[in-house]
Amino acid sequence: MKIHQLSGEEALASLHSGADGLSREEAARRLAEYGPNQVEEVRRKSLALAFLSEFSHFFALILWVAAGLAFVAESRDPGQGMATLGHAILGVILINGLFSFWQQYRAERALEALTRLLPHSVKALRAGKVGLIPAAGLVPGDVILLQEGDSISADCRLLEAWALRVNNATVTGESLPKARDAQPSGEEDLLRARNVLLAGTSVVSGEGRAVVFATGAHTEFGRIAHLTQTPRASESPLQREIVRLSRIVALLASGLGGVFFLIGRELGLSFWENFIFAIGIIVANVPEGLLPTVTLSLAMATQRMARRNALIRHLPAVETLGSATVICTDKTGTLTRNLMDARVLYLGGEMLTPAQARTRPQLIRAQRRLFEDALLCHNLKETVVAGKTQWLGDPMEIALERMARLCLGEPIAYPKINEVPFDTDRKRLSTVHQTPEGVMLYCKGALETVLPLCSQVQLGGGPEPMSEAARSRFLAAQEEMAGRGLRVLAFAWRSLADAHDGAALERDLVLCGLVGLEDPPRPEVPEAIEQCRQAGVKVIMVTGDHPHTAVAIGREIGLIRSESPRVILGERLHRMSETQLRLALDAPEIVFARVAADQKMRIVTALKKKKHVVAVTGDGVNDAPALKQADIGIAMGLTGTDVAKEAADMILLDDNFATIVAAIEEGRAVYDNIRKFLTYVLTSNIPEILPYLAFVLLKIPLPLTIIQILAVDLGTDMLPALGLGAEKPAPDTMRRPPRARGERLIDMRLLGRAYLFLGMIEAAAAFAAYFFVLERGGWQWGDRLAAHDPLYLQATTACLGAIILSQVINVFLCRSPRLGVFASRPFDNRLILWGIALELALLLAIAYTPWGNAVFGTAPPVPAVWLFILPFIGLMLFLEEGRKRVVRRRASGEQTEMASARPSRDAPYP
């Protein structure tokens, strides 16, 4: 027989223990045999390996190769700036790697700072003496003592229990406290046995004595924790796109370098001249500033999310969340406040809210017994937290006490002199108090158990005999409340002559009313649900609660709008095949109720097979496998267990569903922003590449040197690009459907706009400025200019200046692919404005200071050069604004066609 099926004495004997617990010697021996009572820490990548991995991913390898080629070129042809290039690229690799590592390290430290679930010490009985021992020192056979508020640190079998109730939510997912007793159980499943206490759960009320039968990794807590130790194998969408982009860049750069190496050979250039030229082509194609810009953009997004109470553990998770198409969310604490509240009273034969009752003092005086009952009939204990007195115990009893106190408007403290405790068979609690009117019994519980004990009823005035009509009215009121998803309690009372007549206490009661309680929705959730609907993100409630409660809350928050949503109970889900489940998930409105946490992982797996990007919430140990399986695992920061937080990608510091929606908005903004600064950064590649091609093909002096390319890529472009990466979400961000799973970060539209349109305009401006200076200086086609010729230095400065000034206007053009410059609030991003100021300051320093001239090979151009460049900047603005106008008109026409073809009634979800 299993331990929960044995009697208390048999359970102790099976563990070779006794009523006085283990001896200290035997406890020490068992500790050496079974090990400490702690869950083995998740195997993490060592700090050294985590640090090295930031320098060995594919894009970093491309930069390593570029740096190596630069040093090789410098060794063959010194003085061309290749060593400076190599050192600059190494600096990029180092800074980016250090920053990425620091961001992840800081997130992990923030995670460790969150409160641990398991208690540090426990009250145990050893050799007949009670003492506090470290929780890690518990062994099988230890006898422990538990009371209200204690956390349970090992799997135990109860030996004695006094009105004991436990909160199993963290392990089993059950939202309501469960009564526990010491009687042998006939259940086969140990988790459902009423005499078993599980590690990681807590005592809500009562006291108990129990014997430990499993510790550490052998507990249910430890078993589930072990499932989360396997690392997630799949990459995030952003990681896949960065790898793809790296391959495109590597292929493009090496391909162009190879092609023009061959062209150079045909034109008669020497091997090393060709080699230097090919390296220049490769370097010009590699956006050295891209990786740090992506990393910094993600980091800034994590900081914005942290201010909105979302802690991101892994940087790529920011963007993945923006790709989410489905959110599987818990109800309790996420959609609701995790704070029970009395919502409806059935009092004096009518339904009303507590607020309405407070406006009717005459009714409260007439029905005073109900409020006295709610105020006194409980097992709450007062405790002081941070200098404030608070109640500790069952959340429902706390809610009833709060409601009664507000309605009565005065404190009542009648001493308790007897009690008939609550248990799951009786489903009621009775307490006896000495009041100014004599000894009084107050009873509360489920109507089906209280009603048979009542011989009288109190409706309008004083007690009157219970009639069939009154009985029917109470049953109908209960049905109405239950249909609204409320937890209904009945209240009754009677005056006593003998406070200790045990068998006769609960008889001839006066039924005085009903109270409907619920965990109310968070006030911000309905708006968040509507945002999800507009954003094309499907929300699925997955809860362990009763389906009536789940549907009622769903309707209240706007998740359910239809008359008949699809509701699937855990028992039905257990019998469904994989195909049936995947078909059921097509329902526009679906709720899973009475679902165990292990079934949540099955739902997540089915959604992923349907090609959804799934975000899932969880707080319990048993939620951890589903959090690990999801594309984005979201753990609760306030109520979540350490195991759930360890398995998650994001932690909600306020346990609020609205925070998830805000994080999705930030994630979508990150994707949009990366595309913005990719357009911005790649645009300058064209005016950097074409000078090398012109140098070889047209036999002109090189218009732009490698060190000047670096001045753009790692200098003037960096802060404006970061400004684009820090853009706030656009107003329509959450009114667009999620991007298609196959949509690319870099696609032909982006490349065409950057390379073939904006880049070509910048290149035209750069060449025009270059030749403008040469022509003013008397240069003739075919003339060779020395590297230090003042005319050549002025001409390259003009070319560089044209690129930088074009990028100044380009940063505004890249803020939106469709909206015009002034429609996209051009001056509300301070980082961009500071970036432009720094860009212009660097340009002036490069062009007009001695150190800038020496480092970058420049010379001060005449003012006429800048006036010559300005029309090209205006032309760039005019042409791009025209292109955007065409795009907007085309999009407007497509929307009109879609609207005319759309059915008259939209489905709730796309």
Side-chain angles (χ1 to χ4, degrees):
M1 295 176 70
K2 298 178 181 179
I3 193 166
H4 62 283
Q5 297 170 329
L6 302 174
S7 67
E9 294 77 11
E10 290 171 332
L12 283 169
S14 70
L15 293 164
H16 301 283
S17 184
D20 290 336
L22 301 172
S23 67
R24 299 189 184 282
E25 294 77 14
E26 178 62 15
R29 187 193 69 77
R30 294 191 185 190
L31 184 61
E33 179 180 350
Y34 294 101
N37 176 40
Q38 57 191 27
V39 177
E40 183 181 355
E41 279 199 24
V42 177
R43 297 182 185 89
R44 297 182 186 177
K45 187 188 293 185
S46 71
L47 282 178
L49 285 178
F51 181 74
L52 290 175
S53 67
E54 299 295 342
F55 299 92
S56 56
H57 50 78
F58 194 79
F59 204 97
L61 294 178
I62 293 175
L63 295 179
W64 282 114
V65 170
L69 290 174
F71 287 123
V72 170
E74 177 68 20
S75 67
R76 301 300 304 183
D77 189 8
Q80 298 301 314
M82 284 296 182
T84 305
L85 169 64
H87 287 114
I89 294 175
L90 291 179
V92 169
I93 298 170
L94 180 64
I95 292 170
N96 184 74
L98 288 173
F99 189 81
S100 298
F101 174 75
W102 169 247
Q103 284 294 319
Q104 186 142 330
Y105 177 79
R106 187 169 62 174
E108 292 300 321
R109 297 292 77 78
L111 173 66
E112 289 180 3
L114 295 171
T115 307
R116 292 285 176 184
L117 176 72
L118 293 177
H120 297 295
S121 60
V122 64
K123 196 181 294 183
L125 190 65
R126 285 189 175 168
K129 294 183 179 179
V130 177
L132 281 177
I133 65 169
L138 281 179
V139 296
D142 262 327
V143 175
I144 62 173
L145 305 179
L146 297 163
Q147 63 184 15
E148 193 172 291
D150 284 348
S151 292
I152 300 164
S153 49
D155 286 354
C156 310
R157 198 277 191 206
L158 274 170
L159 302 173
E160 293 179 296
W162 297 275
L164 188 72
R165 303 178 76 193
V166 295
N167 182 356
N168 286 339
T170 55
V171 175
T172 66
E174 299 166 299
S175 61
L176 294 174
K178 299 293 180 182
R180 289 293 180 257
D181 59 46
Q183 298 303 312
S185 173
E187 284 277 357
E188 280 297 318
D189 186 1
L190 180 140
L191 295 182
R192 297 180 182 276
R194 287 176 48 186
N195 57 17
V196 169
L197 307 178
L198 299 173
T201 62
S202 59
V203 178
V204 172
S205 61
E207 299 177 354
R209 188 167 66 94
V211 60
V212 174
F213 66 82
T215 59
H218 302 289
T219 63
E220 182 67 14
F221 185 106
R223 184 187 69 80
I224 300 173
H226 180 73
L227 295 177
T228 69
Q229 294 187 3
T230 53
R232 184 184 281 114
S234 60
E235 295 177 316
S236 74
L238 180 61
Q239 288 170 320
R240 289 194 294 269
E241 283 300 296
I242 292 295
V243 169
R244 177 176 172 271
L245 174 60
S246 303
R247 289 172 179 161
I248 290 174
V249 167
L251 184 64
L252 188 64
S254 57
L256 283 174
V259 167
F260 283 96
F261 180 86
L262 296 176
I263 292 174
R265 290 292 299 271
E266 291 297 321
L267 295 175
L269 295 177
S270 69
F271 175 84
W272 285 110
E273 284 179 319
N274 257 332
F275 185 68
I276 300 297
F277 168 65
I279 289 177
I281 290 290
I282 292 171
V283 169
N285 268 284
V286 174
E288 292 87 359
L290 173 63
L291 203 57
T293 307
V294 170
T295 304
L296 288 169
S297 177
L298 292 175
M300 287 187 290
T302 65
Q303 298 304 309
R304 292 196 301 272
M305 287 185 175
R307 289 194 290 271
R308 299 174 82 166
N309 291 313
L311 173 66
I312 300 295
R313 293 187 60 211
H314 309 115
L315 285 183
V318 176
E319 188 276 332
T320 308
L321 191 60
S323 310
T325 58
V326 174
I327 303 173
C328 292
T329 177
D330 291 329
K331 177 186 73 68
T332 305
T334 307
L335 298 175
T336 64
R337 297 168 59 196
N338 198 21
L339 177 69
M340 294 298 290
D341 197 13
R343 302 299 295 271
V344 179
L345 306 178
Y346 181 66
L347 198 62
E350 60 179 312
M351 293 276 195
L352 66 165
T353 66
Q356 290 170 330
R358 289 198 295 273
T359 65
R360 299 170 62 181
Q362 187 174 353
L363 176 66
I364 290 177
R365 283 194 297 271
Q367 300 292 334
R368 182 180 176 84
R369 295 296 185 205
L370 180 141
F371 298 104
E372 290 179 352
D373 196 336
L375 201 61
L376 298 170
C377 185
H378 59 70
N379 284 308
L380 300 174
K381 291 186 178 178
E382 279 189 326
T383 183
V384 178
V385 178
K388 295 182 179 180
T389 302
Q390 296 181 2
W391 287 111
L392 180 67
D394 190 325
M396 282 197 303
E397 293 189 332
I398 294 173
L400 289 169
E401 191 278 339
R402 182 173 59 246
M403 178 274 296
R405 178 165 34 83
L406 290 173
C407 287
L408 287 177
E410 58 180 340
I412 294 178
Y414 302 153
K416 184 194 296 186
I417 56 178
N418 199 1
E419 177 180 323
V420 184
F422 175 92
D423 66 45
T424 51
D425 292 328
R426 288 167 27 82
K427 295 184 180 177
R428 63 182 183 270
L429 168 69
S430 294
T431 57
V432 180
H433 297 262
Q434 183 66 54
T435 77
E437 300 173 46
V439 178
M440 201 74 65
L441 176 140
Y442 297 103
C443 175
K444 73 175 181 203
L447 182 63
E448 64 264 27
T449 67
V450 174
L451 187 58
L453 305 176
C454 297
S455 60
Q456 299 182 80
V457 63
Q458 187 172 4
L459 291 173
E464 57 187 66
M466 175 70 72
S467 64
E468 195 59 40
R471 187 187 307 272
S472 297
R473 289 171 68 181
F474 269 88
L475 291 171
Q478 181 204 33
E479 284 297 316
E480 182 181 340
M481 289 185 185
R484 294 165 60 178
L486 301 177
R487 180 87 184 274
V488 184
L489 291 180
F491 291 80
W493 62 276
R494 67 171 289 213
S495 56
L496 298 174
D498 182 358
H500 300 283
D501 184 6
L505 289 177
E506 293 178 324
R507 63 178 176 83
D508 296 330
L509 303 183
V510 180
L511 183 62
C512 58
L514 304 175
V515 177
L517 301 103
E518 75 166 350
D519 181 8
R522 292 178 179 269
E524 59 273 24
V525 165
E527 182 181 351
I529 292 290
E530 181 58 30
Q531 281 186 304
C532 285
R533 195 184 304 276
Q534 293 178 2
V537 179
K538 186 172 184 176
V539 180
I540 299 176
M541 187 193 300
V542 183
T543 179
D545 267 353
H546 193 282
H548 284 328
T549 306
V551 171
I553 291 293
R555 292 195 189 283
E556 194 167 351
I557 62 177
L559 179 61
I560 296 173
R561 293 180 173 180
S562 64
E563 289 297 320
S564 53
R566 184 74 184 270
V567 180
I568 298 177
L569 300 184
E571 183 181 347
R572 166 68 176 143
L573 177 60
H574 182 71
R575 298 196 303 267
M576 292 176 78
S577 69
E578 188 68 28
T579 301
Q580 288 174 317
L581 175 58
R582 289 169 69 174
L583 289 172
L585 288 167
D586 290 331
E589 295 178 344
I590 185 168
V591 171
F592 291 90
R594 295 291 195 209
V595 170
D598 58 337
Q599 292 178 309
K600 186 184 290 187
M601 185 165 73
R602 189 179 171 206
I603 296 168
V604 171
T605 303
L607 285 165
K608 290 185 72 175
K609 287 182 178 178
K610 291 174 70 66
K611 306 301 182 185
H612 283 290
V613 178
V614 185
V616 63
T617 69
D619 56 4
V621 177
N622 55 351
D623 288 322
L627 295 175
K628 200 80 171 179
Q629 176 69 19
D631 295 290
I632 288 288
I634 304 170
M636 303 297 110
L638 297 178
T639 60
T641 62
D642 291 340
V643 175
K645 293 168 188 170
E646 192 70 53
D649 302 285
M650 183 176 92
I651 298 170
L652 296 183
L653 301 180
D654 59 356
D655 292 8
N656 193 339
F657 178 83
T659 302
I660 303 174
V661 180
I664 288 177
E665 185 179 33
E666 290 288 354
R668 289 189 175 188
V670 165
Y671 181 84
D672 292 342
N673 291 347
I674 291 176
R675 284 182 61 90
K676 290 175 188 177
F677 69 64
L678 277 174
T679 305
Y680 176 76
V681 168
L682 294 178
T683 295
S684 62
N685 273 13
I686 295 301
E688 291 171 355
I689 293 170
L690 291 182
Y692 281 85
L693 304 184
F695 168 66
V696 171
L697 300 177
L698 304 179
K699 300 292 186 179
I700 62 172
L702 183 63
L704 196 70
T705 65
I706 288 177
I707 196 68
Q708 290 168 350
I709 290 176
L710 287 181
V712 175
D713 290 353
L714 300 179
T716 59
D717 271 4
M718 285 292 288
L719 197 57
L722 281 178
L724 289 172
E727 287 273 85
K728 296 176 183 177
D732 67 339
T733 297
M734 294 300 285
R735 294 197 295 270
R736 304 193 307 256
R739 72 174 190 273
R741 196 177 184 91
E743 184 178 329
R744 299 297 190 183
L745 195 61
I746 297 266
D747 55 20
M748 292 309 297
R749 287 180 303 162
L750 188 148
L751 287 175
R753 182 184 175 208
Y755 280 172
L756 302 180
F757 189 70
L758 297 173
M760 288 297 184
I761 298 172
E762 284 195 8
F767 275 112
Y770 178 70
F771 286 117
F772 174 75
V773 173
L774 289 181
E775 185 180 2
R776 280 173 59 94
W779 177 81
Q780 299 292 324
W781 199 278
D783 291 351
R784 298 181 64 88
L785 294 175
H788 299 290
D789 188 308
L791 178 61
Y792 175 68
L793 297 178
Q794 284 185 344
T796 59
T797 305
C799 181
L800 174 64
I803 295 172
I804 293 174
L805 291 177
S806 297
Q807 285 291 79
V808 168
I809 192 62
N810 190 34
V811 73
F812 290 109
L813 299 178
C814 290
R815 293 189 68 194
S816 172
R818 293 174 54 185
L819 295 179
V821 167
F822 295 101
S824 55
R825 302 165 308 193
F827 304 115
D828 69 344
N829 187 326
R830 290 188 178 183
L831 192 54
I832 285 181
L833 299 179
W834 279 109
I836 291 171
L838 179 63
E839 199 167 18
L840 295 174
L842 282 174
L843 175 58
L844 292 174
I846 290 169
Y848 291 106
T849 64
W851 69 264
N853 296 160
V855 171
F856 295 98
T858 58
V862 295
V865 172
W866 310 121
L867 295 175
F868 178 82
I869 294 171
L870 287 179
F872 289 92
I873 296 173
L875 177 64
M876 186 176 185
L877 174 63
F878 175 78
L879 292 176
E880 175 63 0
E881 289 291 286
R883 185 200 67 83
K884 288 180 178 181
R885 189 173 182 182
V886 171
V887 169
R888 288 196 299 272
R889 282 185 175 178
R890 186 179 300 168
S892 177
E894 290 175 357
Q895 288 176 359
T896 303
E897 290 179 13
M898 289 175 63
S900 61
R902 186 179 298 147
S904 59
R905 180 167 182 155
D906 288 346
Y909 292 103

Short mmCIF file of all heavy atoms in Angstrom, two decimals, residues 1-3 6-17 30 141 211 213:
data_model
loop_
_atom_site.label_atom_id
_atom_site.label_comp_id
_atom_site.label_asym_id
_atom_site.label_seq_id
_atom_site.Cartn_x
_atom_site.Cartn_y
_atom_site.Cartn_z
N MET A 1 0.84 -1.20 0.00
CA MET A 1 0.00 0.00 0.00
C MET A 1 0.87 1.26 0.00
O MET A 1 1.97 1.25 0.55
CB MET A 1 -0.93 0.01 1.23
CG MET A 1 -1.94 -1.12 1.24
SD MET A 1 -2.92 -1.12 2.76
CE MET A 1 -3.91 0.33 2.53
N LYS A 2 0.36 2.30 -0.62
CA LYS A 2 1.08 3.57 -0.64
C LYS A 2 0.93 4.27 0.70
O LYS A 2 -0.02 4.02 1.44
CB LYS A 2 0.56 4.44 -1.79
CG LYS A 2 0.78 3.82 -3.16
CD LYS A 2 0.20 4.69 -4.26
CE LYS A 2 0.41 4.05 -5.62
NZ LYS A 2 -0.16 4.84 -6.71
N ILE A 3 1.83 5.20 0.97
CA ILE A 3 1.88 5.80 2.29
C ILE A 3 0.61 6.54 2.66
O ILE A 3 0.20 6.56 3.82
CB ILE A 3 3.12 6.71 2.42
CG1 ILE A 3 3.36 7.06 3.90
CG2 ILE A 3 2.97 7.97 1.57
CD1 ILE A 3 4.71 7.68 4.17
N LEU A 6 -2.11 4.27 4.23
CA LEU A 6 -1.83 3.67 5.53
C LEU A 6 -2.38 4.56 6.64
O LEU A 6 -2.60 5.76 6.45
CB LEU A 6 -0.33 3.50 5.73
CG LEU A 6 0.43 2.66 4.68
CD1 LEU A 6 1.92 2.73 4.96
CD2 LEU A 6 -0.05 1.22 4.70
N SER A 7 -2.55 3.98 7.82
CA SER A 7 -2.87 4.80 8.99
C SER A 7 -1.64 5.57 9.42
O SER A 7 -0.52 5.30 8.95
CB SER A 7 -3.35 3.91 10.13
OG SER A 7 -2.27 3.10 10.59
N GLY A 8 -1.84 6.53 10.33
CA GLY A 8 -0.70 7.33 10.79
C GLY A 8 0.38 6.47 11.42
O GLY A 8 1.58 6.68 11.15
N GLU A 9 -0.01 5.52 12.27
CA GLU A 9 0.97 4.65 12.94
C GLU A 9 1.71 3.79 11.91
O GLU A 9 2.94 3.61 12.00
CB GLU A 9 0.27 3.75 13.97
CG GLU A 9 -0.32 4.48 15.16
CD GLU A 9 -1.64 5.18 14.81
OE1 GLU A 9 -2.19 4.91 13.72
OE2 GLU A 9 -2.07 6.02 15.61
N GLU A 10 0.96 3.27 10.93
CA GLU A 10 1.58 2.44 9.89
C GLU A 10 2.54 3.28 9.03
O GLU A 10 3.60 2.79 8.61
CB GLU A 10 0.51 1.81 9.01
CG GLU A 10 -0.30 0.74 9.72
CD GLU A 10 -1.50 0.29 8.90
OE1 GLU A 10 -2.01 1.09 8.08
OE2 GLU A 10 -1.92 -0.86 9.08
N ALA A 11 2.16 4.52 8.76
CA ALA A 11 3.04 5.40 7.97
C ALA A 11 4.34 5.65 8.69
O ALA A 11 5.43 5.59 8.10
CB ALA A 11 2.33 6.72 7.68
N LEU A 12 4.27 5.93 10.01
CA LEU A 12 5.49 6.12 10.80
C LEU A 12 6.34 4.86 10.80
O LEU A 12 7.57 4.91 10.62
CB LEU A 12 5.13 6.51 12.23
CG LEU A 12 4.70 7.96 12.47
CD1 LEU A 12 4.12 8.12 13.86
CD2 LEU A 12 5.88 8.91 12.26
N ALA A 13 5.69 3.71 10.97
CA ALA A 13 6.43 2.45 11.02
C ALA A 13 7.10 2.15 9.68
O ALA A 13 8.23 1.66 9.63
CB ALA A 13 5.48 1.31 11.40
N SER A 14 6.41 2.48 8.57
CA SER A 14 7.00 2.21 7.25
C SER A 14 8.25 3.03 7.00
O SER A 14 9.10 2.66 6.18
CB SER A 14 5.96 2.47 6.16
OG SER A 14 5.71 3.86 6.04
N LEU A 15 8.35 4.18 7.69
CA LEU A 15 9.53 5.04 7.55
C LEU A 15 10.52 4.84 8.69
O LEU A 15 11.48 5.61 8.82
CB LEU A 15 9.08 6.51 7.51
CG LEU A 15 8.28 6.91 6.26
CD1 LEU A 15 7.56 8.23 6.49
CD2 LEU A 15 9.17 6.99 5.04
N HIS A 16 10.26 3.81 9.53
CA HIS A 16 11.14 3.51 10.67
C HIS A 16 11.33 4.74 11.54
O HIS A 16 12.45 5.09 11.94
CB HIS A 16 12.50 2.99 10.18
CG HIS A 16 12.39 1.74 9.37
ND1 HIS A 16 12.16 0.50 9.91
CD2 HIS A 16 12.44 1.56 8.02
CE1 HIS A 16 12.10 -0.42 8.93
NE2 HIS A 16 12.26 0.21 7.77
N SER A 17 10.21 5.40 11.80
CA SER A 17 10.21 6.57 12.65
C SER A 17 9.20 6.35 13.76
O SER A 17 8.57 5.29 13.86
CB SER A 17 9.87 7.81 11.83
OG SER A 17 9.97 8.97 12.62
N ARG A 30 20.67 9.58 7.77
CA ARG A 30 19.77 9.67 6.61
C ARG A 30 20.12 10.88 5.73
O ARG A 30 19.97 10.83 4.51
CB ARG A 30 18.31 9.75 7.07
CG ARG A 30 17.84 8.48 7.75
CD ARG A 30 16.34 8.47 7.96
NE ARG A 30 15.94 7.29 8.71
CZ ARG A 30 14.68 6.90 8.89
NH1 ARG A 30 13.69 7.61 8.37
NH2 ARG A 30 14.40 5.81 9.58
N GLY A 141 11.23 10.51 7.33
CA GLY A 141 11.05 10.04 8.70
C GLY A 141 10.99 11.15 9.72
O GLY A 141 10.56 10.93 10.85
N VAL A 211 4.65 13.55 8.95
CA VAL A 211 5.92 12.86 8.81
C VAL A 211 6.40 13.01 7.36
O VAL A 211 5.63 12.88 6.40
CB VAL A 211 5.80 11.36 9.18
CG1 VAL A 211 4.78 10.63 8.30
CG2 VAL A 211 7.16 10.67 9.09
N PHE A 213 8.09 12.06 3.96
CA PHE A 213 8.38 10.81 3.24
C PHE A 213 9.18 11.02 1.95
O PHE A 213 9.64 10.06 1.34
CB PHE A 213 7.09 10.03 2.94
CG PHE A 213 6.14 10.70 2.00
CD1 PHE A 213 6.30 10.62 0.62
CD2 PHE A 213 5.04 11.41 2.49
CE1 PHE A 213 5.42 11.23 -0.25
CE2 PHE A 213 4.15 12.03 1.63
CZ PHE A 213 4.34 11.94 0.25
#
